[in-house]
Amino acid sequence: MKKCAVVVLLFMLLLGNASFAFAATNAFVDVPADHWAYKAIVKLAQDGILQGFNDGKYQGNKTVTRYEMAMIVANAMARADKGHADDQVLINKLVAEFSEELSVLGVHVARLDKKLDKTHIYGVVFVKYEHGDMGAGTSNVNYKLLDGVKLQLNANYKVNDDWSVFTVQEYLRDFISVSSGDPLGTSDQAKQIGIGGRIGASSIAVGEFHEFTSYGVIFDANIHGVQLALGNPTIPGNPPGPPSGPPKPQLTLTWGHIWHPCNMRLTDSLYNAGEPLWVSAELFYPATADTNVNLGYFNVSRDDSVTSRHYSTIGFDKRLTNNVSLTVFHGKSSYETDSKSYLVGLNYKFPDFMNPGSYGVYLNYERIEANAAIYPTFVVQDPDHGTKGVEIGYSFVPMKKTLLELIYAKMKATTINDSWKDNYFRCQFRFFF
């Protein structure tokens, strides 16, 4: 019943202002202005069963078609539980009067239902506040940033049971920097778009998609190209959900281009390489029921005039108890200096945004040297100084589909004789829909 109500409302929006004066060419016979149904509709509107018609004002002097009246009745049926017993009697009488038109409307609804079943739209709204306190080595010693509101809208359309078209749109509305008073700007853009599907027990994605590698230490950003996941039947772009069945070995092969290696030093020749070529292979292997091993190789290059760089990684995550998990990671790049990365992390519980009151806490020690990463996940990273220190995070679900996150990081430089530092705090709300 709820799904039918949603579809009916969609019809009404598409038809304009949901008013009663529609085209006279409709195939159904007009309902006279003195028809008893008018009084019934007025009564239902007064009782709060019907809302939103003509800005809340019923114009009883207008003629409507039986088809239009049936749409109004269908709306009343969807809200019948909000009325009194006499309201239900009126609704039942209206249903009997317009049963034929409701039947025809139901045919259209059923057809639209099939299309809606193939379309999934979901997303998240971010609102966050950041505060950083940097030391020597930067011109911005102290900054406070109310970062604004970001809407990330995900859409997925199933072509068939094995293939889908996916897209991710991002809408950003920044507030102002408290320290400078200058507007930070706005942006609307398609962050991801492509097609993905299954080939046997594997999956493929073509287009622009998100790449999360090596626990987020090496790369956590978008790539436009091709990705083949051997042993993973998940269709890229599908709505998130619980994993089905036990973990399976997975080898992910990716070829494509990245916008630019954002976490490289400004003096690095690859930094201004336009859209460097990205080639990677990453293996996820469940060694035991509670331990996963991760191995990776990543290469960034442009042409013969710029030396290519590669990164090799190894790590594992292990569930120590039902509520505690451990992650250990090490990576090394082909740079001669400042080329190593480390991560040791502890997680206690995990928040479930569908379960109010659930929460999670994590504690990370991170050391990512200046030449050791491309675009990492972590909140404080600097390619000119390198970073090492502790990051603490707390997540809480105050109500369904809402997540509060608090993050604090205390970092300092890894390069020799560098006094750079950053004490960073973020408060962020996420609203899922």
Side-chain angles (χ1 to χ4, degrees):
M1 178 65 74
K2 290 183 178 179
K3 197 167 190 178
C4 287
V6 171
V7 177
V8 169
L9 290 175
L10 283 173
F11 270 123
M12 298 178 78
L13 288 172
L14 291 173
L15 287 170
N17 296 324
S19 67
F20 293 162
F22 294 114
T25 56
N26 194 289
F28 293 102
V29 177
D30 288 348
V31 179
D34 58 353
H35 196 282
W36 66 267
Y38 278 101
K39 294 182 180 179
I41 294 299
V42 170
K43 174 67 166 58
L44 294 175
Q46 290 173 345
D47 290 348
I49 305 302
L50 295 170
Q51 297 177 352
F53 297 103
N54 294 313
D55 298 326
K57 297 178 180 179
Y58 176 75
Q59 299 178 2
N61 61 333
K62 291 203 173 185
T63 300
V64 299
T65 68
R66 291 182 63 87
Y67 177 72
E68 294 155 5
M69 184 65 79
M71 293 179 66
I72 300 168
V73 174
N75 180 268
M77 291 167 62
R79 300 174 59 86
D81 57 340
K82 299 183 180 298
H84 308 294
D86 54 344
D87 293 325
Q88 185 61 61
V89 171
L90 282 178
I91 292 173
N92 291 339
K93 188 177 179 181
L94 287 166
V95 170
E97 172 69 21
F98 298 98
S99 59
E100 184 177 347
E101 289 77 15
L102 286 168
S103 177
V104 174
L105 178 61
V107 172
H108 293 297
V109 167
R111 289 175 181 173
L112 186 55
D113 265 355
K114 292 180 180 179
K115 291 186 178 181
L116 290 176
D117 287 340
K118 289 187 174 184
T119 305
H120 301 276
I121 299 176
Y122 57 101
V124 57
V125 175
F126 300 81
V127 181
K128 68 179 179 181
Y129 169 81
E130 296 177 333
H131 181 192
D133 182 10
M134 294 184 179
T138 177
S139 60
N140 196 2
V141 175
N142 185 279
Y143 66 90
K144 297 177 181 178
L145 185 62
L146 190 58
D147 214 19
V149 178
K150 181 174 74 174
L151 166 64
Q152 181 177 303
L153 189 62
N154 305 266
N156 175 271
Y157 179 77
K158 289 182 64 176
V159 178
N160 53 43
D161 289 340
D162 293 323
W163 291 87
S164 292
V165 176
F166 62 88
T167 180
V168 177
Q169 297 287 135
E170 184 176 282
Y171 305 89
L172 181 62
R173 293 295 179 269
D174 283 343
F175 297 137
I176 62 172
S177 172
V178 177
S179 60
S180 65
D182 294 328
L184 298 176
T186 62
S187 65
D188 302 331
Q189 57 183 314
K191 301 294 286 188
Q192 300 176 46
I193 185 168
I195 185 169
R198 277 194 292 252
I199 302 177
S202 302
S203 65
I204 187 172
V206 181
E208 184 162 3
F209 48 85
H210 192 84
E211 174 84 315
F212 177 87
T213 69
S214 55
Y215 301 101
V217 178
I218 302 297
F219 193 78
D220 182 8
N222 286 352
I223 289 177
H224 51 276
V226 180
Q227 184 174 82
L228 179 64
L230 305 175
N232 179 13
T234 302
I235 299 178
N238 268 2
S244 57
K248 297 179 181 179
Q250 176 185 313
L251 175 64
T252 302
L253 306 174
T254 307
W255 178 94
H257 292 268
I258 56 180
W259 180 47
H260 64 78
C262 301
N263 209 57
M264 290 183 173
R265 288 178 171 177
L266 295 176
T267 56
D268 193 297
S269 56
L270 271 174
Y271 185 88
N272 295 313
E275 296 187 347
L277 178 65
W278 167 277
V279 178
S280 69
E282 186 172 22
L283 175 65
F284 169 86
Y285 183 77
T288 67
D290 54 16
T291 304
N292 302 307
V293 177
N294 182 279
L295 301 172
Y297 175 83
F298 315 94
N299 185 275
V300 180
S301 63
R302 186 181 68 173
D303 51 43
D304 294 338
S305 65
V306 178
T307 302
S308 64
R309 307 296 186 185
H310 64 259
Y311 304 77
S312 301
T313 65
I314 183 171
F316 73 90
D317 58 273
K318 181 178 179 62
R319 187 175 291 274
L320 303 177
T321 69
N322 287 336
N323 293 323
V324 180
S325 64
L326 169 69
T327 300
V328 177
F329 170 86
H330 170 60
K332 189 177 187 312
S333 73
S334 60
Y335 288 82
E336 295 181 359
T337 60
D338 299 320
S339 61
K340 297 178 181 178
S341 59
Y342 302 91
L343 170 67
V344 179
L346 278 175
N347 284 78
Y348 176 71
K349 291 191 174 181
F350 301 93
D352 176 4
F353 65 80
M354 296 298 291
N355 182 17
S358 66
Y359 67 94
V361 181
Y362 73 84
L363 172 64
N364 287 345
Y365 171 75
E366 305 157 11
R367 181 185 174 95
I368 304 179
E369 297 176 353
N371 294 321
I374 303 172
Y375 201 147
T377 300
F378 308 104
V379 295
V380 178
Q381 292 302 324
D382 193 293
D384 292 316
H385 305 282
T387 54
K388 65 177 179 180
V390 176
E391 180 179 321
I392 303 171
Y394 170 76
S395 302
F396 176 72
V397 182
M399 59 184 179
K400 193 174 181 179
K401 295 185 178 182
T402 304
L403 186 64
L404 167 65
E405 297 170 285
L406 303 175
I407 300 173
Y408 173 75
K410 186 178 180 64
M411 296 291 170
K412 60 182 180 179
T414 62
T415 51
I416 300 175
N417 300 323
D418 191 337
S419 59
W420 177 92
K421 66 177 182 179
D422 191 357
N423 294 328
Y424 174 93
F425 171 76
R426 176 191 291 179
C427 176
Q428 175 173 280
F429 280 94
R430 296 195 208 187
F431 302 90
F432 301 87
F433 60 93

